[in-house]
Structure formats: C-alpha cells, structure tokens
Amino acid sequence: MVGFKYKQTQSVNDEALRDYFGKLAEADRHIKTGDGRGGDFLGWRDLGVRPGSEEHVRIKAAAEKIRANSDVLLVIGIGGSYLGARAVIEYLKTPYHNQLKTGDPEVYFIGNSFSGSEFNAVMSLCEGKRVSVNVISKSGTTTESAVAFRLVREYMESRYGKKEAAERTYATTDARRGALKSLADAEGYECFVIPDDVGGRFSVLTAVGLLPAAVAGIDTDALLKGACDERERLLNSGTANAAYEYAVARNIMLDAGKTSEVLVSYDPDFRFMGEWYKQLFGESEGKENKGLFPASVTYSSDLHSLGQFVQEGSKVLFETIVRPVNADPSSPVVPNDAANGDGLNFLSGSTMDMINEKAMMGTLLAHRDGGTESLIIEFGGKDAYSLGELIYFFFISCAASGYILGVNPFDQPGVEAYKKNMFALLGKPGYEQGKEELEKKISEI
Ligand code: PA5
C-alpha cells in the first residue's frame, strides 16, 4: 500500500486540502466515469493486462522463448514506449543488470535518440551474442524508433536471414493502424497490442513494459498484482485516499508559487523511475501554459551538486521524497576497525541502508529549515509487487492532478511542434512547405 505524508509543511494542511474538495470530487468523477476531457484514454485505470489473462500468458510465453534463444534483447522505443520498461528493470535489477552474471538476457534500449554513437555502441555489444528485438511504437511512425528499427532490421536479416530474423522480432503496437503494424503483418512478426485507450506514458503495465521486464527476469505476476491491489484500494475509497491527497497537494504547492516539483529518491536504482515520472507528469500537465515542472534527483549524490540550491536557492520548488519502508536485507554492514584511522567507528555495525535513512531525515529537516517544503510518498520497496503499487498510485495521482489543474491529462499536442519542423527540414513528403522559411530562420540564429 502506498502512503502519503504532508504534515508539517507550510502550505499543505488539512484545511488547504478541504478547500479543494469540489475540484477533487469532480476529478474523481472524471476518472471513474470517463466524463472528463480525454475520457476515452482511461484504459490504464482498469489495467490493460490483468495477471493471468490471455495476453499476459502470451507475453510470458514470448519472454520465455526469448530467454531460451537469446543473450540480448534490443528494445526499440521512445517516450512512453521505453521509459517505463527501463525504469522497472533498472529499479528491480539495478542499472548494472546487463553486466551482472545472473543468466538473464541483457536488455538494451535504443531508438530513443538520434545518437549514432549510442546506437553503434549497443550494436557492438551484440557481437557474438544471440539477439532478439522488441520494437515498440503505438503510432508506429515515430522517427527515432523507426530509423533505429530500419538499421536493426538490416542487421538481423543479414545475420539470421529473413525468416529467422522475423521469428526473433516482436512488435508492440496498435491493433490495426500504423506503419509498424503493416510491416509486422507483412513480415510475420509476433505482435502485442497497445490498447487504443491507453496512452504511451500510461502503458508500462501493458506489453510495452511487461515483455522487456519479463525477459529481464522480473516477476510480472507480482508487478501486476501490486497494481491491481492498489487499484482496488484507490478506486474503492471515495475521495479519501493517498493518491488524491498527493494530487491535491501538488496543486496547492503550485498555487503557493512553487513552479517545480523535484522527485527525490535516495536510491540510484530509482533514477529511471524519476525519468518515467517526469514524462508522466510533464506530458500530462504541461499544457495551456499551466503545470508544475517535474524534475528528479538522486540523493545523496545530488546533495553534493543541487543540494546547495535546494537549501538556499530561490524558493521555486518543493520536494517529493519517495521512501521505501522495507529495509534492504542485503545492505552491507560497516565493519569495525580497531585503528579507527578514518574516525568511522561510530558507524560500525550500521548498514548502508540505515545510514541512508538518517541522511534522508537529516536532509529533509535541513531543507525544511531552509524554507523548502517537502511531501513524502512511502511504498514497500524494491520488489515487483511494491513497484506495481507505486506505478498505479502515480497513474491515479497524475490523472487527478491534471483534472484538478484543469487540463486534459491524456493528450500531448505540444509534442507535434518539433516533429513538424524536423520533418520539413529533413524533406519528408508532405512537409515541404515550411522548409525555406525554417532554413532562413536557422541562418539568422
Ligand atoms: O506518452 C506518449 O504518448 C508519448 O510519449 C509516446 O509514448 C512517444 O511519443 C512514443 O510514441 P509511439 O509509441 O507512438 O512511438
């Protein structure tokens, strides 16, 4: 169960929360009945894939096949078609999962930039290893992913021949539309569906996140079970629940003049969860000149860089600390040293986890003394079930927060602007018109 703590902050208190009751009740209705803006994109609410469902069984079967015949899975996708899978794998298996000799296939993410050097580096890691590919794109036309897939397709076909390359390629895309769907049908790739009513940033609990996670050896039954249980709790608690309190608290902070929310974790393994959160909230709320700017940091590392700003810089932000409550049983214990040359014997017998907890609490108090307010989200910790709970908690919070803010949390009209310019500059058919004007502007930069 995910918890939320806001006591002792200046801006967020029971009274301020009560002031939002009307807006929250409306947001709750939009989420439960679909009568708000973007109401046809609520598929994530009831979970696109249920544990043990036919789709889940098929995902697990494909993952088993990949685990048996491959040393590497290349995951091609960007934005919502990549961040969630990477976040889940890195949090539960560490960012070093590819180097650890666990027997699980290595999982690399490409097609999320136009960086040739990154692409080349990952492809060189495939040398001498058996490779499978999971290309993920809801629209099926995203350029970053499509360019990478064209290159990877050529690599796979020249290495395995057309038939085996197709057997080693899995496409996760729309059920009917898009260039990727047509290509997958023509080539005979096994396909997984991103449901129409689930947007990219809400898709981690569909095949988009589940297939790469299952290949990496993650217990996707537990991940989905955690999400299902959190769903039951949140959807059956009226308007009184931790996810809604967090959603309201964010809006209270914004009203109080805080323009940025910094998601704080004390675990470097959580870094990509921070990237995922930034997309979820940034793309859902940053529109119509509204919204909190979502940032993320990893303490205590970033206390030695951004900590100074948070303590004493301009008061434009608040912190939301994500705190796992279960102790890490594998946390190393600081040994005793009779000579005590480094003066650290006061820590002998403490685990790194225990030290981290004190760093967290000490920092929280110092930042509050410095005038930076903070909220706390508590969840179980580093296991698939607790992560499923946390993901669903963020889904509901994000939808509610967006509705309270007064935007459609499920569209992303602003993402198109750069694409239009890029296509014109690249000479994509149909986009020729603006090219000259853009080139003139570029010459004046
Ligand atoms: O949340 C979203 O909808 C976007 O971030 C998409 O996930 C991203 O643009 C990738 O799109 P697609 O899956 O169509 O390639």
Side-chain angles (χ1 to χ4, degrees), residues 304-352:
H304 297 259
S305 59
L306 290 168
Q308 169 62 35
F309 187 100
V310 178
Q311 184 74 42
E312 294 183 345
S314 57
K315 297 299 162 207
V316 293
L317 56 88
F318 68 96
E319 296 179 301
T320 297
I321 300 150
V322 182
R323 176 176 179 256
V325 291
N326 298 332
D328 171 6
S330 66
S331 187
V333 180
V334 179
N336 194 51
D337 176 1
N340 196 24
D342 51 12
L344 277 184
N345 272 358
F346 72 101
L347 293 176
S348 299
S350 300
T351 62
M352 290 180 83

Side-chain angles (χ1 to χ4, degrees), residues 74 76 109-111 113-126 144 147-153 155:
L74 293 175
I76 303 174
F109 293 90
I110 52 173
S113 75
F114 291 117
S115 165
S117 75
E118 186 184 60
F119 182 86
N120 287 339
V122 171
M123 294 314 289
S124 74
L125 289 168
C126 295
E144 287 87 341
V147 167
F149 186 46
R150 182 181 277 209
L151 290 161
V152 166
R153 217 156 22 104
Y155 167 88

